[in-house]
Amino acid sequence: MPFVTKNPAHYLKALAEDSAEALHIGLFFSRSISEQQAADLIKLAKAIQQSTRTIRCLWLRFRDGDESICTALQAFGDELAGDMSIQSLVIEGKAGHAEVECLAGFLRNNKLRGLQFRRTDIDASAAAVLRPLFVGS
């Protein structure tokens, strides 16, 4: 089980380092996200884009939350759209159609080598967002 944190700023120093070693980034979403946490997510997305480091895995763990999570997640995903440094994505926990929809911009515009869903609430309703990822694979 990877290390996950509610504090996206935890990874900023590692992303600023000039290293060839790939990173694992784990984020934990539960209850609600403050404006500061949402701003830190955007800072993290910008740091990922500007970094020379590869992100081996972006691990997103969810627990019960409100719409502030989706709003922040959508802004985070949109900021990362088109970034090629993230190799794989893991979505775990209480994630469902809403969370997948919030990540749609990221999912459509990135070339992931792997996508994994672990113990999620994702069902057929997310097919419209996920189907294009698998067409032609």
Side-chain angles (χ1 to χ4, degrees), residues 3 6 14 27 40 56-57 63 72 82 84 89 94 96 99 101 104 108 110 113 137:
F3 171 77
K6 283 186 157 192
L27 299 172
D40 286 346
R56 174 122 341 114
C57 180
R63 196 177 283 165
M84 296 303 179
L89 174 66
K94 292 285 186 178
E99 289 77 12
E101 189 66 43
R108 277 193 301 270
N110 290 64
R113 293 174 63 195
S137 319

Side-chain angles (χ1 to χ4, degrees), residues 8 17 22 26 37-38 40 42 47 53 58 65 99 115 118 128 131:
E17 294 174 358
Q37 286 173 308
D40 286 346
I42 297 300
R53 297 187 76 173
L58 175 60
E99 289 77 12
L115 177 62
R118 299 174 59 101
R131 186 172 291 118

Side-chain angles (χ1 to χ4, degrees), residues 68-111:
S68 69
I69 289 176
C70 269
T71 302
L73 195 58
Q74 185 166 7
F76 178 67
D78 290 349
E79 191 69 38
L80 286 173
D83 181 75
M84 296 303 179
S85 66
I86 300 172
Q87 295 180 343
S88 66
L89 174 66
V90 175
I91 298 174
E92 177 187 30
K94 292 285 186 178
H97 177 263
E99 289 77 12
V100 171
E101 189 66 43
C102 289
L103 288 169
F106 170 75
L107 292 169
R108 277 193 301 270
N109 296 304
N110 290 64
K111 301 249 185 247

Side-chain angles (χ1 to χ4, degrees), residues 115-129:
L115 177 62
Q116 187 176 114
F117 300 97
R118 299 174 59 101
R119 298 182 302 275
T120 66
D121 296 331
I122 294 171
D123 58 17
S125 64
V129 175

